[in-house]
């Protein structure tokens, strides 16, 4: 398969890239910074997912070099835990640009390529911050709520082209997004989940594989850990 | 700078390809309506054609453009209304 994953420099994106490379797939990744990931089947673009020109160029390059895309995983995301009184406007735009605009642009450009083969899977990342109405995550949660809506609407727009669009909302996971969140805040969060523990990366892969292997599921969000 | 005649050729070529692929017989000239009243294309055909033109411009001229517009759905001012308006719009972008 040809799998495009955004935000592969670290965290879940990096894990996903290594996982699918390990299975013998071609993986095209991207990030705003340099990557140390090196593999004969890995291709990296340095770009910003919210820059329309960059995104167009990347997907045009993918079409030229690979001819098609089987799976797009919109993993790139940013978060900033802060009371709304203290949230800087630049941070607000950064969250909106990466999480909403980036997901939209990459989905659109991937779907244009997928539609030629009348098949494709788009998997977005949303968050438990949406159903939990997480304090201190107003803009992040709003952006991830938008990702759910994008997932639902795009699933309808792309269904005639044989493309499914779904979203996974991992439970609390040990990534950079939560590294600055105080321990007791995270513990309280784990208590609110139905399953009171951190989510493991391989468990997220299971949900993504479920979407990849299922042609009859679209417009859905899977909340991991129970809400 | 790509000449308008060449862009017109690309657009007409895409419509010819579209006819072959879909068994349609859209007669294409600069006045052919692509969008809104009088168009023979349904919404899925229309977006597919626009994507095909976008692609062809990229391949033929190495210019990565995005055929999107705030006025896309305007009945009066949509750059996608006819082949002629579309060619004018593309020539502004390349």
């Amino acid at each position: 398969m040809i799998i495009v994953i955004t935000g592969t420099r670290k965290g879940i994106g990096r894990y996903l890239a290594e996982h699918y490379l390990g299975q013998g797939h071609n993986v095209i990744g991207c990030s705003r910074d340099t990557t140390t990931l090196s593999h004969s089947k890995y291709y990296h673009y340095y770009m910003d997912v919210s820059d329309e020109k960059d995104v167009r160029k990347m997907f045009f390059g993918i079409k030229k070099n690979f001819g098609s895309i089987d799976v797009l995983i919109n993993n790139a995301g940013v978060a900033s835990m802060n009371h709304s009184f203290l949230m800087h406007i630049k941070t607000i735009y950064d969250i909106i640009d990466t999480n909403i605009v980036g997901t939209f642009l990459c989905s659109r450009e991937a779907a244009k390529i997928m539609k030629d083969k009348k098949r494709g899977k788009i998997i977005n990342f949303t968050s438990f911050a949406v159903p939990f109405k997480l304090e201190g995550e107003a803009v992040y949660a709003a952006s991830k709520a938008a990702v759910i809506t994008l997932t639902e609407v795009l699933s309808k727009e792309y269904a005639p082209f044989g493309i499914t669009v779904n979203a996974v909302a991992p439970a609390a996971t040990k990534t950079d997004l939560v590294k600055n969140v105080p321990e007791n805040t995270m513990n309280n969060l784990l208590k609110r989940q139905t399953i009171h523990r951190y989510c493991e990366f391989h468990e997220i892969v299971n949900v993504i594989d479920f979407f990849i292997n299922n042609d009859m599921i679209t417009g859905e969000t899977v909340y991991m850990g129970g809400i | 700078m790509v000449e308008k005649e060449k862009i017109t050729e690309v657009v007409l070529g895409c419509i010819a390809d579209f006819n072959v692929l879909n068994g349609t017989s859209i007669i294409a000239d600069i006045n052919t309506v692509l969008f809104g009243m009088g168009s023979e294309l349904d919404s899925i055909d229309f977006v597919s054609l626009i994507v095909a033109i976008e692609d062809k411009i990229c391949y033929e001229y190495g210019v990565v453009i995005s055929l999107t517009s705030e006025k896309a759905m305007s009945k009066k001012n949509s750059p996608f209304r006819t082949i002629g308006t579309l060619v004018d719009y593309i020539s502004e972008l390349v």
Side-chain angles (χ1 to χ4, degrees), chain A residues 28-67:
Chain A
I28 297 114
C30 66
S31 64
R32 286 191 284 201
D33 297 309
T34 55
T35 182
T36 54
L37 181 53
S38 172
H39 188 284
S40 60
K41 287 190 164 185
Y42 180 72
Y43 310 86
H44 194 85
Y45 285 81
Y46 300 104
M47 50 91 93
D48 180 344
V49 291
S50 68
D51 184 311
E52 188 180 25
K53 273 190 182 162
D54 276 4
V55 175
R56 286 281 295 138
K57 278 182 189 164
M58 179 176 89
F59 281 94
F60 182 64
I62 294 169
K63 185 168 186 182
K64 215 171 168 184
N65 295 318
F66 296 92

mmCIF file of all heavy atoms in Angstrom, chain A residues 28-67:
data_model
loop_
_atom_site.group_PDB
_atom_site.id
_atom_site.type_symbol
_atom_site.label_atom_id
_atom_site.label_comp_id
_atom_site.label_asym_id
_atom_site.label_seq_id
_atom_site.Cartn_x
_atom_site.Cartn_y
_atom_site.Cartn_z
ATOM 1 N N ILE A 28 4.794 7.769 2.966
ATOM 2 C CA ILE A 28 5.199 9.145 2.686
ATOM 3 C C ILE A 28 4.801 9.965 3.910
ATOM 4 O O ILE A 28 3.629 9.964 4.303
ATOM 5 C CB ILE A 28 4.507 9.701 1.420
ATOM 6 C CG1 ILE A 28 4.930 8.879 0.208
ATOM 7 C CG2 ILE A 28 4.887 11.159 1.200
ATOM 8 C CD1 ILE A 28 3.864 8.096 -0.426
ATOM 9 N N GLY A 29 5.787 10.602 4.504
ATOM 10 C CA GLY A 29 5.514 11.383 5.712
ATOM 11 C C GLY A 29 5.848 12.841 5.508
ATOM 12 O O GLY A 29 6.452 13.222 4.501
ATOM 13 N N CYS A 30 5.460 13.648 6.447
ATOM 14 C CA CYS A 30 5.818 15.067 6.371
ATOM 15 C C CYS A 30 5.867 15.658 7.769
ATOM 16 O O CYS A 30 5.258 15.129 8.699
ATOM 17 C CB CYS A 30 4.823 15.828 5.497
ATOM 18 S SG CYS A 30 3.160 15.916 6.170
ATOM 19 N N SER A 31 6.607 16.738 7.887
ATOM 20 C CA SER A 31 6.660 17.480 9.148
ATOM 21 C C SER A 31 7.269 18.842 8.874
ATOM 22 O O SER A 31 7.865 19.061 7.816
ATOM 23 C CB SER A 31 7.495 16.728 10.193
ATOM 24 O OG SER A 31 8.838 16.630 9.756
ATOM 25 N N ARG A 32 7.117 19.729 9.856
ATOM 26 C CA ARG A 32 7.668 21.080 9.691
ATOM 27 C C ARG A 32 9.162 21.115 9.989
ATOM 28 O O ARG A 32 9.839 22.052 9.622
ATOM 29 C CB ARG A 32 6.938 22.056 10.619
ATOM 30 C CG ARG A 32 5.550 22.378 10.129
ATOM 31 C CD ARG A 32 4.949 23.536 10.890
ATOM 32 N NE ARG A 32 4.492 23.150 12.210
ATOM 33 C CZ ARG A 32 3.591 23.826 12.908
ATOM 34 N NH1 ARG A 32 3.077 24.937 12.412
ATOM 35 N NH2 ARG A 32 3.211 23.423 14.097
ATOM 36 N N ASP A 33 9.654 20.091 10.691
ATOM 37 C CA ASP A 33 11.079 20.034 11.022
ATOM 38 C C ASP A 33 11.722 18.796 10.405
ATOM 39 O O ASP A 33 11.033 17.925 9.901
ATOM 40 C CB ASP A 33 11.252 20.012 12.543
ATOM 41 C CG ASP A 33 10.726 21.279 13.180
ATOM 42 O OD1 ASP A 33 11.108 22.363 12.718
ATOM 43 O OD2 ASP A 33 9.909 21.177 14.111
ATOM 44 N N THR A 34 13.031 18.750 10.522
ATOM 45 C CA THR A 34 13.749 17.619 9.925
ATOM 46 C C THR A 34 13.423 16.321 10.663
ATOM 47 O O THR A 34 13.034 16.329 11.824
ATOM 48 C CB THR A 34 15.278 17.844 9.998
ATOM 49 O OG1 THR A 34 15.618 18.087 11.356
ATOM 50 C CG2 THR A 34 15.715 18.987 9.121
ATOM 51 N N THR A 35 13.612 15.223 9.945
ATOM 52 C CA THR A 35 13.319 13.917 10.546
ATOM 53 C C THR A 35 14.587 13.067 10.585
ATOM 54 O O THR A 35 15.493 13.247 9.767
ATOM 55 C CB THR A 35 12.238 13.169 9.743
ATOM 56 O OG1 THR A 35 11.957 11.930 10.381
ATOM 57 C CG2 THR A 35 12.676 12.882 8.305
ATOM 58 N N THR A 36 14.632 12.161 11.529
ATOM 59 C CA THR A 36 15.744 11.217 11.583
ATOM 60 C C THR A 36 15.306 9.867 11.030
ATOM 61 O O THR A 36 16.095 8.927 10.980
ATOM 62 C CB THR A 36 16.222 11.013 13.041
ATOM 63 O OG1 THR A 36 15.098 10.634 13.840
ATOM 64 C CG2 THR A 36 16.855 12.276 13.597
ATOM 65 N N LEU A 37 14.057 9.772 10.636
ATOM 66 C CA LEU A 37 13.532 8.506 10.118
ATOM 67 C C LEU A 37 14.107 8.238 8.727
ATOM 68 O O LEU A 37 13.976 9.071 7.823
ATOM 69 C CB LEU A 37 11.997 8.559 10.064
ATOM 70 C CG LEU A 37 11.262 7.316 9.563
ATOM 71 C CD1 LEU A 37 11.692 6.065 10.316
ATOM 72 C CD2 LEU A 37 9.753 7.499 9.696
ATOM 73 N N SER A 38 14.736 7.096 8.603
ATOM 74 C CA SER A 38 15.363 6.746 7.334
ATOM 75 C C SER A 38 15.044 5.296 7.011
ATOM 76 O O SER A 38 15.230 4.405 7.841
ATOM 77 C CB SER A 38 16.880 6.958 7.466
ATOM 78 O OG SER A 38 17.517 6.466 6.326
ATOM 79 N N HIS A 39 14.534 5.059 5.806
ATOM 80 C CA HIS A 39 14.136 3.703 5.394
ATOM 81 C C HIS A 39 14.018 3.729 3.877
ATOM 82 O O HIS A 39 13.637 4.751 3.294
ATOM 83 C CB HIS A 39 12.786 3.353 6.052
ATOM 84 C CG HIS A 39 12.369 1.929 5.867
ATOM 85 N ND1 HIS A 39 11.856 1.446 4.684
ATOM 86 C CD2 HIS A 39 12.372 0.881 6.731
ATOM 87 C CE1 HIS A 39 11.568 0.170 4.829
ATOM 88 N NE2 HIS A 39 11.875 -0.209 6.063
ATOM 89 N N SER A 40 14.323 2.601 3.247
ATOM 90 C CA SER A 40 14.300 2.577 1.779
ATOM 91 C C SER A 40 12.901 2.835 1.211
ATOM 92 O O SER A 40 12.761 3.246 0.071
ATOM 93 C CB SER A 40 14.813 1.225 1.272
ATOM 94 O OG SER A 40 13.993 0.187 1.773
ATOM 95 N N LYS A 41 11.877 2.615 2.004
ATOM 96 C CA LYS A 41 10.509 2.838 1.510
ATOM 97 C C LYS A 41 9.859 4.061 2.152
ATOM 98 O O LYS A 41 8.641 4.215 2.092
ATOM 99 C CB LYS A 41 9.649 1.594 1.755
ATOM 100 C CG LYS A 41 9.995 0.440 0.824
ATOM 101 C CD LYS A 41 8.958 -0.652 0.950
ATOM 102 C CE LYS A 41 9.065 -1.603 -0.233
ATOM 103 N NZ LYS A 41 7.998 -2.607 -0.218
ATOM 104 N N TYR A 42 10.680 4.887 2.790
ATOM 105 C CA TYR A 42 10.130 6.089 3.440
ATOM 106 C C TYR A 42 10.540 7.342 2.665
ATOM 107 O O TYR A 42 11.704 7.513 2.306
ATOM 108 C CB TYR A 42 10.607 6.202 4.887
ATOM 109 C CG TYR A 42 10.050 7.428 5.574
ATOM 110 C CD1 TYR A 42 8.702 7.491 5.924
ATOM 111 C CD2 TYR A 42 10.855 8.537 5.830
ATOM 112 C CE1 TYR A 42 8.178 8.619 6.518
ATOM 113 C CE2 TYR A 42 10.335 9.667 6.438
ATOM 114 C CZ TYR A 42 8.984 9.702 6.775
ATOM 115 O OH TYR A 42 8.457 10.824 7.356
ATOM 116 N N TYR A 43 9.587 8.219 2.430
ATOM 117 C CA TYR A 43 9.813 9.455 1.668
ATOM 118 C C TYR A 43 9.276 10.597 2.508
ATOM 119 O O TYR A 43 8.123 10.545 2.957
ATOM 120 C CB TYR A 43 9.104 9.381 0.311
ATOM 121 C CG TYR A 43 9.424 8.100 -0.405
ATOM 122 C CD1 TYR A 43 8.679 6.941 -0.160
ATOM 123 C CD2 TYR A 43 10.512 8.004 -1.285
ATOM 124 C CE1 TYR A 43 8.993 5.735 -0.761
ATOM 125 C CE2 TYR A 43 10.830 6.798 -1.890
ATOM 126 C CZ TYR A 43 10.065 5.669 -1.624
ATOM 127 O OH TYR A 43 10.374 4.477 -2.214
ATOM 128 N N HIS A 44 10.111 11.600 2.706
ATOM 129 C CA HIS A 44 9.711 12.672 3.628
ATOM 130 C C HIS A 44 9.610 14.019 2.925
ATOM 131 O O HIS A 44 10.453 14.367 2.100
ATOM 132 C CB HIS A 44 10.715 12.766 4.774
ATOM 133 C CG HIS A 44 10.222 13.596 5.910
ATOM 134 N ND1 HIS A 44 9.416 13.082 6.911
ATOM 135 C CD2 HIS A 44 10.382 14.915 6.203
ATOM 136 C CE1 HIS A 44 9.123 14.048 7.762
ATOM 137 N NE2 HIS A 44 9.693 15.171 7.352
ATOM 138 N N TYR A 45 8.594 14.759 3.250
ATOM 139 C CA TYR A 45 8.444 16.136 2.768
ATOM 140 C C TYR A 45 8.518 17.071 3.975
ATOM 141 O O TYR A 45 7.845 16.836 4.977
ATOM 142 C CB TYR A 45 7.076 16.343 2.102
ATOM 143 C CG TYR A 45 6.973 15.734 0.721
ATOM 144 C CD1 TYR A 45 6.714 14.375 0.551
ATOM 145 C CD2 TYR A 45 7.129 16.521 -0.410
ATOM 146 C CE1 TYR A 45 6.619 13.821 -0.719
ATOM 147 C CE2 TYR A 45 7.028 15.974 -1.690
ATOM 148 C CZ TYR A 45 6.778 14.626 -1.833
ATOM 149 O OH TYR A 45 6.671 14.075 -3.085
ATOM 150 N N TYR A 46 9.337 18.118 3.833
ATOM 151 C CA TYR A 46 9.374 19.148 4.872
ATOM 152 C C TYR A 46 8.339 20.182 4.499
ATOM 153 O O TYR A 46 8.509 20.898 3.508
ATOM 154 C CB TYR A 46 10.763 19.804 4.938
ATOM 155 C CG TYR A 46 11.844 18.811 5.255
ATOM 156 C CD1 TYR A 46 12.698 18.354 4.267
ATOM 157 C CD2 TYR A 46 11.983 18.320 6.546
ATOM 158 C CE1 TYR A 46 13.675 17.419 4.546
ATOM 159 C CE2 TYR A 46 12.966 17.391 6.833
ATOM 160 C CZ TYR A 46 13.799 16.944 5.829
ATOM 161 O OH TYR A 46 14.758 16.024 6.107
ATOM 162 N N MET A 47 7.292 20.256 5.209
ATOM 163 C CA MET A 47 6.235 21.199 4.838
ATOM 164 C C MET A 47 5.261 21.422 5.995
ATOM 165 O O MET A 47 5.261 20.701 6.975
ATOM 166 C CB MET A 47 5.483 20.700 3.606
ATOM 167 C CG MET A 47 4.999 19.278 3.643
ATOM 168 S SD MET A 47 3.356 19.156 4.282
ATOM 169 C CE MET A 47 2.368 19.219 2.849
ATOM 170 N N ASP A 48 4.467 22.458 5.785
ATOM 171 C CA ASP A 48 3.451 22.826 6.763
ATOM 172 C C ASP A 48 2.105 22.385 6.193
ATOM 173 O O ASP A 48 1.737 22.810 5.097
ATOM 174 C CB ASP A 48 3.501 24.351 6.944
ATOM 175 C CG ASP A 48 2.490 24.859 7.952
ATOM 176 O OD1 ASP A 48 1.545 24.112 8.286
ATOM 177 O OD2 ASP A 48 2.652 26.007 8.400
ATOM 178 N N VAL A 49 1.383 21.542 6.916
ATOM 179 C CA VAL A 49 0.117 21.012 6.378
ATOM 180 C C VAL A 49 -0.943 22.085 6.177
ATOM 181 O O VAL A 49 -1.929 21.855 5.478
ATOM 182 C CB VAL A 49 -0.478 19.890 7.275
ATOM 183 C CG1 VAL A 49 0.367 18.630 7.219
ATOM 184 C CG2 VAL A 49 -0.695 20.363 8.708
ATOM 185 N N SER A 50 -0.731 23.262 6.764
ATOM 186 C CA SER A 50 -1.737 24.314 6.579
ATOM 187 C C SER A 50 -1.378 25.254 5.422
ATOM 188 O O SER A 50 -2.100 26.210 5.155
ATOM 189 C CB SER A 50 -1.917 25.124 7.866
ATOM 190 O OG SER A 50 -0.756 25.872 8.139
ATOM 191 N N ASP A 51 -0.260 24.982 4.745
ATOM 192 C CA ASP A 51 0.140 25.812 3.606
ATOM 193 C C ASP A 51 -0.369 25.140 2.326
ATOM 194 O O ASP A 51 0.140 24.089 1.917
ATOM 195 C CB ASP A 51 1.667 25.940 3.584
ATOM 196 C CG ASP A 51 2.150 26.864 2.473
ATOM 197 O OD1 ASP A 51 1.708 26.700 1.311
ATOM 198 O OD2 ASP A 51 2.971 27.744 2.765
ATOM 199 N N GLU A 52 -1.352 25.757 1.711
ATOM 200 C CA GLU A 52 -2.010 25.130 0.561
ATOM 201 C C GLU A 52 -1.027 24.795 -0.565
ATOM 202 O O GLU A 52 -1.108 23.722 -1.169
ATOM 203 C CB GLU A 52 -3.130 26.032 0.026
ATOM 204 C CG GLU A 52 -3.976 25.340 -1.045
ATOM 205 C CD GLU A 52 -5.083 26.222 -1.595
ATOM 206 O OE1 GLU A 52 -4.947 27.458 -1.540
ATOM 207 O OE2 GLU A 52 -6.083 25.666 -2.078
ATOM 208 N N LYS A 53 -0.096 25.709 -0.821
ATOM 209 C CA LYS A 53 0.875 25.458 -1.910
ATOM 210 C C LYS A 53 1.745 24.255 -1.596
ATOM 211 O O LYS A 53 2.003 23.404 -2.448
ATOM 212 C CB LYS A 53 1.751 26.695 -2.134
ATOM 213 C CG LYS A 53 1.124 27.675 -3.095
ATOM 214 C CD LYS A 53 2.116 28.741 -3.480
ATOM 215 C CE LYS A 53 1.413 29.731 -4.417
ATOM 216 N NZ LYS A 53 2.127 30.985 -4.512
ATOM 217 N N ASP A 54 2.233 24.189 -0.361
ATOM 218 C CA ASP A 54 3.060 23.048 0.073
ATOM 219 C C ASP A 54 2.294 21.743 -0.072
ATOM 220 O O ASP A 54 2.821 20.744 -0.553
ATOM 221 C CB ASP A 54 3.445 23.193 1.565
ATOM 222 C CG ASP A 54 4.670 24.065 1.763
ATOM 223 O OD1 ASP A 54 5.163 24.615 0.766
ATOM 224 O OD2 ASP A 54 5.113 24.199 2.917
ATOM 225 N N VAL A 55 1.057 21.769 0.374
ATOM 226 C CA VAL A 55 0.240 20.549 0.346
ATOM 227 C C VAL A 55 -0.017 20.125 -1.103
ATOM 228 O O VAL A 55 0.115 18.945 -1.445
ATOM 229 C CB VAL A 55 -1.096 20.762 1.110
ATOM 230 C CG1 VAL A 55 -2.008 19.549 0.974
ATOM 231 C CG2 VAL A 55 -0.827 21.039 2.589
ATOM 232 N N ARG A 56 -0.348 21.080 -1.949
ATOM 233 C CA ARG A 56 -0.579 20.767 -3.372
ATOM 234 C C ARG A 56 0.672 20.150 -3.988
ATOM 235 O O ARG A 56 0.601 19.178 -4.729
ATOM 236 C CB ARG A 56 -0.961 22.032 -4.147
ATOM 237 C CG ARG A 56 -2.346 22.545 -3.916
ATOM 238 C CD ARG A 56 -3.408 21.771 -4.706
ATOM 239 N NE ARG A 56 -3.292 21.916 -6.126
ATOM 240 C CZ ARG A 56 -3.422 20.924 -7.019
ATOM 241 N NH1 ARG A 56 -3.661 19.700 -6.595
ATOM 242 N NH2 ARG A 56 -3.300 21.130 -8.299
ATOM 243 N N LYS A 57 1.827 20.773 -3.670
ATOM 244 C CA LYS A 57 3.094 20.279 -4.243
ATOM 245 C C LYS A 57 3.387 18.865 -3.758
ATOM 246 O O LYS A 57 3.826 18.013 -4.532
ATOM 247 C CB LYS A 57 4.248 21.214 -3.856
ATOM 248 C CG LYS A 57 4.340 22.423 -4.762
ATOM 249 C CD LYS A 57 5.523 23.284 -4.379
ATOM 250 C CE LYS A 57 5.472 24.583 -5.154
ATOM 251 N NZ LYS A 57 6.346 25.611 -4.592
ATOM 252 N N MET A 58 3.172 18.622 -2.466
ATOM 253 C CA MET A 58 3.462 17.289 -1.942
ATOM 254 C C MET A 58 2.584 16.244 -2.622
ATOM 255 O O MET A 58 3.089 15.221 -3.107
ATOM 256 C CB MET A 58 3.234 17.222 -0.426
ATOM 257 C CG MET A 58 3.510 15.823 0.134
ATOM 258 S SD MET A 58 3.388 15.674 1.916
ATOM 259 C CE MET A 58 1.673 15.268 2.122
ATOM 260 N N PHE A 59 1.302 16.499 -2.704
ATOM 261 C CA PHE A 59 0.410 15.491 -3.280
ATOM 262 C C PHE A 59 0.615 15.357 -4.790
ATOM 263 O O PHE A 59 0.464 14.262 -5.334
ATOM 264 C CB PHE A 59 -1.053 15.773 -2.900
ATOM 265 C CG PHE A 59 -1.359 15.330 -1.494
ATOM 266 C CD1 PHE A 59 -1.260 16.217 -0.431
ATOM 267 C CD2 PHE A 59 -1.701 14.012 -1.223
ATOM 268 C CE1 PHE A 59 -1.503 15.807 0.880
ATOM 269 C CE2 PHE A 59 -1.942 13.592 0.074
ATOM 270 C CZ PHE A 59 -1.844 14.484 1.126
ATOM 271 N N PHE A 60 0.988 16.454 -5.446
ATOM 272 C CA PHE A 60 1.310 16.340 -6.875
ATOM 273 C C PHE A 60 2.541 15.449 -7.046
ATOM 274 O O PHE A 60 2.591 14.581 -7.923
ATOM 275 C CB PHE A 60 1.554 17.724 -7.483
ATOM 276 C CG PHE A 60 1.851 17.668 -8.953
ATOM 277 C CD1 PHE A 60 0.902 17.211 -9.855
ATOM 278 C CD2 PHE A 60 3.102 18.044 -9.432
ATOM 279 C CE1 PHE A 60 1.177 17.139 -11.220
ATOM 280 C CE2 PHE A 60 3.388 17.973 -10.787
ATOM 281 C CZ PHE A 60 2.422 17.530 -11.689
ATOM 282 N N GLY A 61 3.531 15.651 -6.168
ATOM 283 C CA GLY A 61 4.743 14.816 -6.196
ATOM 284 C C GLY A 61 4.416 13.352 -5.946
ATOM 285 O O GLY A 61 4.952 12.454 -6.607
ATOM 286 N N ILE A 62 3.516 13.102 -5.003
ATOM 287 C CA ILE A 62 3.136 11.714 -4.696
ATOM 288 C C ILE A 62 2.453 11.089 -5.909
ATOM 289 O O ILE A 62 2.740 9.945 -6.285
ATOM 290 C CB ILE A 62 2.205 11.666 -3.457
ATOM 291 C CG1 ILE A 62 2.954 12.114 -2.194
ATOM 292 C CG2 ILE A 62 1.638 10.260 -3.265
ATOM 293 C CD1 ILE A 62 2.077 12.350 -0.978
ATOM 294 N N LYS A 63 1.574 11.844 -6.539
ATOM 295 C CA LYS A 63 0.860 11.297 -7.706
ATOM 296 C C LYS A 63 1.846 10.978 -8.832
ATOM 297 O O LYS A 63 1.751 9.942 -9.481
ATOM 298 C CB LYS A 63 -0.207 12.281 -8.182
ATOM 299 C CG LYS A 63 -1.040 11.693 -9.311
ATOM 300 C CD LYS A 63 -2.262 12.483 -9.622
ATOM 301 C CE LYS A 63 -3.089 11.732 -10.663
ATOM 302 N NZ LYS A 63 -4.279 12.458 -11.068
ATOM 303 N N LYS A 64 2.782 11.884 -9.021
ATOM 304 C CA LYS A 64 3.765 11.708 -10.089
ATOM 305 C C LYS A 64 4.647 10.484 -9.830
ATOM 306 O O LYS A 64 4.937 9.708 -10.739
ATOM 307 C CB LYS A 64 4.640 12.969 -10.148
ATOM 308 C CG LYS A 64 5.078 13.352 -11.529
ATOM 309 C CD LYS A 64 5.736 14.709 -11.467
ATOM 310 C CE LYS A 64 6.449 15.009 -12.760
ATOM 311 N NZ LYS A 64 7.182 16.272 -12.684
ATOM 312 N N ASN A 65 5.061 10.316 -8.585
ATOM 313 C CA ASN A 65 6.017 9.256 -8.260
ATOM 314 C C ASN A 65 5.381 7.904 -7.932
ATOM 315 O O ASN A 65 5.990 6.865 -8.157
ATOM 316 C CB ASN A 65 6.899 9.689 -7.084
ATOM 317 C CG ASN A 65 7.777 10.872 -7.456
ATOM 318 O OD1 ASN A 65 8.334 10.914 -8.543
ATOM 319 N ND2 ASN A 65 7.870 11.861 -6.581
ATOM 320 N N PHE A 66 4.179 7.934 -7.363
ATOM 321 C CA PHE A 66 3.560 6.668 -6.927
ATOM 322 C C PHE A 66 2.274 6.332 -7.680
ATOM 323 O O PHE A 66 1.840 5.196 -7.661
ATOM 324 C CB PHE A 66 3.249 6.719 -5.428
ATOM 325 C CG PHE A 66 4.472 6.833 -4.573
ATOM 326 C CD1 PHE A 66 4.953 8.068 -4.182
ATOM 327 C CD2 PHE A 66 5.152 5.696 -4.158
ATOM 328 C CE1 PHE A 66 6.090 8.190 -3.403
ATOM 329 C CE2 PHE A 66 6.287 5.798 -3.376
ATOM 330 C CZ PHE A 66 6.766 7.051 -3.002
ATOM 331 N N GLY A 67 1.672 7.322 -8.279
ATOM 332 C CA GLY A 67 0.456 7.090 -9.067
ATOM 333 C C GLY A 67 -0.826 7.037 -8.272
ATOM 334 O O GLY A 67 -1.880 7.368 -8.788
#
